[in-house]
Amino acid sequence: QSVLTQPPSASGTPGQRITFSCSGSSSNIGGNTVNWYQQLPGTAPKLLIYSDHQRPSGVPDRFSGSKSGTSASLAISGLQSEDEADYYCASWDDSVNGWVFGGGTKLTVL
Amino acid sequence: EVQLLESGGGLVQPGGSLRLSCVVSGFTFSSYVMNWVRQAPGKGLEWVSTIVNIDETTYYADSVKGRFTISRDDRRNTLSLQMNSLKAEDTAVYYCAKGTHSSAWDPFDYWGQGTLVTVSS
């Protein structure tokens, strides 16, 4: 069981807007920032969103992040087939004094 | 170009040891916090350990505490993970990942390609 809770799967059609949720607690999301990672099939993870809503250079503005209380969300607008991947949220946890990840959400583009 | 190259993975028997290395290039290694993250076959990401550059403070997941040791050699641009008393549940691809700055809670902006560790008799 992951400390951060994510739905295991999601699906959408090209052009659609889709959101992923990530639920935690006061010791992680509630008190620290959230990062999102994208893992394309067979590749290493890639930083997609950091500090709740910041995008690294090179990440399209179709990707956006937000946080409220102990939950965070990742949104993808204008869904594309190449967005098919696993998406993980992560946050520093003050209780375990380390990083915690969500179990990941597998996105299928229909 | 930032590059992280892990090595040292392989097949090891339960109770055995293995040492992973991650050689980096393209950035000033001594200026950044470094991390190990693993992924069991078909499973999600699990943070393993972090080492801060400034004072070499280390952090470990409870699942590996007392068995794994993270270290860094800033002269050789190398991050290491010494893994002892290995268990079947340690079987995973191990990634080294660079932090964005010098704090343990900085996100991971570059990842290696990973090295597979298989613990089995």
Side-chain angles (χ1 to χ4, degrees), chain A residues 2 32-33 35 37 39 43-47 49-51 86 88 92 96-104, chain B residues 35 37 39 43-47 50 59-60 62 65 95 100 104-114:
Chain A
S2 301
N32 297 294
T33 59
N35 308 310
Y37 299 91
Q39 187 175 31
T43 69
K46 167 191 169 184
L47 181 62
I49 296 288
Y50 68 97
S51 297
D86 294 322
Y88 296 91
W92 182 265
V96 304
N97 212 22
W99 287 97
V100 291
F101 281 89
Chain B
N35 310 270
V37 177
Q39 186 170 35
K43 303 295 185 182
L45 301 174
E46 179 189 16
W47 170 74
T50 294
Y59 303 83
Y60 296 95
D62 286 344
K65 201 171 294 183
Y95 295 100
T100 55
W105 43 91
D106 287 328
F108 313 151
D109 57 355
Y110 288 94
W111 298 61
Q113 86 293 343

Side-chain angles (χ1 to χ4, degrees), chain B residues 2 15 22 35 70 85 118:
Chain B
V2 172
C22 173
N35 310 270
I70 189 173
S85 303
T118 303

Side-chain angles (χ1 to χ4, degrees), chain B residues 6 20 36-39 48 64 68 81 83 86 89-96 112-119:
Chain B
E6 303 97 335
L20 306 184
W36 287 99
V37 177
R38 68 184 181 184
Q39 186 170 35
V48 174
V64 306
F68 289 12
L81 185 68
M83 305 186 295
L86 283 162
E89 49 265 41
D90 295 319
T91 294
V93 173
Y94 284 73
Y95 295 100
C96 70
Q113 86 293 343
T115 186
L116 176 62
V117 172
T118 303
V119 184

Side-chain angles (χ1 to χ4, degrees), chain B:
Chain B
E1 180 190 6
V2 172
Q3 290 190 331
L4 298 87
L5 186 62
E6 303 97 335
S7 62
L11 175 63
V12 61
Q13 291 188 338
S17 298
L18 213 55
R19 186 177 182 86
L20 306 184
S21 295
C22 173
V23 177
V24 313
S25 60
F27 64 98
T28 304
F29 181 66
S30 60
S31 297
Y32 297 93
V33 62
M34 295 296 296
N35 310 270
W36 287 99
V37 177
R38 68 184 181 184
Q39 186 170 35
K43 303 295 185 182
L45 301 174
E46 179 189 16
W47 170 74
V48 174
S49 184
T50 294
I51 183 166
V52 176
N53 54 308
I54 296 173
D55 56 6
E56 298 197 7
T57 299
T58 58
Y59 303 83
Y60 296 95
D62 286 344
S63 57
V64 306
K65 201 171 294 183
R67 300 187 299 122
F68 289 12
T69 302
I70 189 173
S71 61
R72 62 190 297 155
D73 184 339
D74 290 351
R75 294 173 302 170
R76 294 186 169 88
N77 289 348
T78 301
L79 175 72
S80 299
L81 185 68
Q82 177 65 43
M83 305 186 295
N84 298 331
S85 303
L86 283 162
K87 308 174 182 179
E89 49 265 41
D90 295 319
T91 294
V93 173
Y94 284 73
Y95 295 100
C96 70
K98 168 188 169 292
T100 55
H101 297 96
S102 300
S103 296
W105 43 91
D106 287 328
F108 313 151
D109 57 355
Y110 288 94
W111 298 61
Q113 86 293 343
T115 186
L116 176 62
V117 172
T118 303
V119 184
S120 175
S121 54

